[in-house]
Amino acid sequence: MNWKEQRELRQSQMKALEDERKDLAKIGWKSMGKIERDQLYKKINFDWDNMHKFIRDRIPSKEGYVALEIENYCVEKARKLK
């Protein structure tokens, strides 16, 4: 197997893992209620406000950070449901 085939294989594996993660995030998001979602937003904003400035400077945007944290929480919640 040459390097091009190996690269394509790795890319397809990464895409499959990313799709699985997105599906888990959707399941986790749908399982949460409105109150839990609001609490999650408050917790993430609180974490952002209490984060050291030098760490915040390394993160491109607050919106990206919030989206990533919500996705991580939803994936963990979906894995617990299974």
Side-chain angles (χ1 to χ4, degrees):
M1 190 181 275
N2 64 15
W3 65 272
K4 287 183 182 180
E5 292 172 347
Q6 289 176 351
R7 181 181 65 186
E8 290 174 4
L9 180 63
R10 282 193 308 269
Q11 287 176 346
S12 64
Q13 290 171 344
M14 291 300 292
K15 176 132 176 60
L17 289 173
E18 185 178 316
D19 291 343
E20 179 185 354
R21 184 174 169 81
K22 285 182 181 180
D23 291 341
L24 286 173
K26 287 178 186 177
I27 292 169
W29 181 257
K30 289 178 182 177
S31 69
M32 291 191 315
K34 183 173 176 26
I35 295 171
E36 188 176 2
R37 290 178 189 169
D38 291 339
Q39 289 174 347
L40 180 61
Y41 277 120
K42 287 178 184 176
K43 180 187 179 304
I44 292 172
N45 283 326
F46 180 76
D47 291 344
W48 176 264
D49 293 337
N50 290 334
M51 194 180 298
H52 291 287
K53 182 164 176 28
F54 69 90
I55 296 173
R56 274 192 291 190
D57 292 342
R58 292 177 184 248
I59 299 172
S61 68
K62 182 178 179 180
E63 293 82 23
Y65 173 76
V66 170
L68 180 65
E69 288 297 317
I70 289 173
E71 182 180 347
N72 289 339
Y73 182 82
C74 290
V75 168
E76 289 177 20
K77 185 168 182 71
R79 286 188 179 147
K80 287 180 184 176
L81 291 174
K82 286 188 173 186

